[in-house]
Amino acid sequence: MPDLTKKTISASQMAALFDLSPYMTRYQLYHWIVSDIEIEQESNARLDWGLRHQQTILAWVSDEMRIDVAGNDEYYQNTDERIGCTGDGYALDLQRGLGVVEAKCSDWMQWKDTWTSEKAPAHIELQVQVQMMVPHPELGLPVWGAIACLVGGNDMRLYMREPDPAVQDRIREKVSQFWTDVADRNEPPLGGLAVEQKILNLLYPEVDENEPPVDLRGTPEDDEIGDMLRMYAYARTQRGVHEKAAKKYQSQILERAANSSTILTSAATAYIKKARIAETTISRQASVRNSITVKENPSADPLKPFKEAAIDG
């Protein structure tokens, strides 16, 4: 759970500041604070089953380490560092001292692709380092951490951790820089995740036909944005292969257009349309559907966008 007062960065949000989060970006975090736009966590089966198995995983850690592990759903803060966390469980080991336990659930293929026998994914490792920087209000600062992962429903893996001073110093630097950017209204660039479109749709919910076109012809951005429009047009024709790239370019185009319906470059022109989709009582939330049409300049070099950039499949 993030800080509802928006005064701290949570352990689960921290990876976004390092551009390592699969769920959110610095751009989202910035607008979560500055524009007061909520970040909705996408629900998926792995996360749902992780929550269902959380107490079972903590009980296994308790048995494995022969210590009592108390489940937790409270958000604790380190106001000096401006960070916080909701550790899944806390354990007071008579020899080790206070520890924090993070419970995870993974299918076998996802574990094989993103975990090793020694390391968890980077965003989870960062999460636990943050948790060891946030004091428990009654028991003090955790001096060890554990990542307990249930793999494939029947295989438990335990990763023991200690505070890493170098990593925690980098966390402090990233957090300090983020809050400086917030104070200076220095907006981060888009991170390229499809989930950023929800933020963009809230910032720019419709196009204004009376808004003048974004005319970049002859400006320093002309070639860069023109090539991006053409890369987007190509990625759209190959969506089975380049779906991720198409979403990334679409977000960049929507941000650059803002409320305008047209972007003009020497190489191509983009036409943006937005339609509001009404909420249904059961299956669908209200949303905005984006449509972007790109018309290329016939005189432009057809291979130029691909000579200096590769599609990120």
Side-chain angles (χ1 to χ4, degrees):
M1 293 176 61
D3 177 8
L4 298 180
T5 67
K6 302 188 178 181
K7 297 291 175 58
T8 61
I9 300 300
S10 75
S12 59
Q13 294 170 330
M14 186 59 63
L17 300 188
F18 288 79
D19 299 322
L20 292 172
S21 174
Y23 309 115
M24 67 183 68
T25 66
R26 283 184 293 141
Y27 184 86
Q28 286 177 282
L29 277 180
Y30 176 87
H31 283 289
W32 175 66
I33 300 289
V34 173
S35 305
D36 198 25
I37 293 175
E38 295 302 321
I39 300 174
E40 294 182 5
Q41 178 69 58
E42 292 283 349
S43 178
N44 61 56
R46 189 168 63 250
L47 291 175
D48 290 344
W49 279 107
L51 290 174
R52 291 172 184 268
H53 286 302
Q54 182 169 299
Q55 293 305 315
T56 301
I57 295 171
L58 294 180
W60 178 86
V61 174
S62 180
D63 292 341
E64 183 73 8
M65 297 185 66
R66 298 182 180 180
I67 56 176
D68 290 332
V69 180
N72 172 66
D73 58 6
E74 295 293 328
Y75 186 82
Y76 302 138
Q77 301 184 38
N78 182 332
T79 54
D80 292 336
E81 306 276 13
R82 300 197 71 177
I83 57 177
C85 72
T86 306
D88 291 335
Y90 287 87
L92 190 58
D93 187 313
L94 294 180
Q95 293 182 332
R96 292 174 178 266
L98 179 65
V100 60
V101 181
E102 184 64 23
K104 299 296 182 185
C105 189
S106 173
D107 61 66
W108 168 249
M109 290 303 298
Q110 190 249 355
W111 184 89
K112 183 174 181 294
D113 289 342
T114 59
W115 298 64
T116 72
S117 59
E118 302 294 330
K119 294 181 180 180
H123 66 281
I124 297 175
E125 296 282 3
L126 278 170
Q127 184 177 3
V128 174
Q129 287 297 319
V130 174
Q131 290 171 346
M132 290 187 287
M133 297 169 68
V134 178
H136 187 283
E138 297 175 0
L139 303 173
L141 196 67
V143 294
W144 59 270
I147 303 168
C149 184
L150 175 61
V151 183
N154 60 3
D155 183 11
M156 286 295 311
R157 306 293 177 104
L158 185 63
Y159 302 77
M160 299 301 300
R161 294 293 179 260
E162 295 180 353
D164 187 319
V167 172
Q168 292 186 346
D169 282 345
R170 288 289 291 147
I171 288 170
R172 292 184 182 95
E173 291 173 9
K174 290 287 187 180
V175 171
S176 176
Q177 183 59 56
F178 175 77
W179 289 113
T180 298
D181 288 340
V182 167
D184 295 342
R185 293 301 188 260
N186 181 23
E187 182 184 75
L190 285 169
L193 295 184
V195 292
E196 288 176 321
Q197 286 199 24
K198 291 184 177 180
I199 298 280
L200 291 168
N201 288 337
L202 291 170
L203 291 172
Y204 312 112
E206 56 188 23
V207 295
D208 185 350
E209 298 297 337
N210 296 320
E211 187 80 13
V214 178
D215 192 348
L216 302 176
R217 294 172 296 185
T219 71
E221 294 182 279
D222 190 3
D223 285 347
E224 177 187 356
I225 303 300
D227 289 347
M228 182 182 68
L229 297 182
R230 298 170 67 198
M231 294 284 277
Y232 168 75
Y234 173 77
R236 286 280 295 176
T237 67
Q238 306 290 324
R239 292 190 67 177
V241 179
H242 300 306
E243 179 74 24
K244 182 179 177 181
K247 291 291 187 182
K248 175 182 177 180
Y249 294 133
Q250 186 179 45
S251 294
Q252 292 173 333
I253 292 168
L254 293 172
E255 182 197 34
R256 195 64 188 81
N259 292 318
S260 177
S261 63
T262 309
I263 298 178
L264 301 173
T265 71
S266 298
T269 300
Y271 302 96
I272 298 100
K273 294 183 179 179
K274 298 186 178 185
R276 290 182 178 273
I277 308 301
E279 179 182 13
T280 61
T281 55
I282 298 177
S283 61
R284 186 178 65 200
Q285 295 180 335
S287 61
V288 175
R289 178 177 295 160
N290 301 294
S291 174
I292 301 175
T293 302
V294 174
K295 289 190 176 181
E296 298 191 38
N297 183 342
S299 64
D301 178 1
L303 296 179
K304 182 177 178 296
F306 308 100
K307 292 177 180 177
E308 299 178 355
I311 292 285
D312 177 15

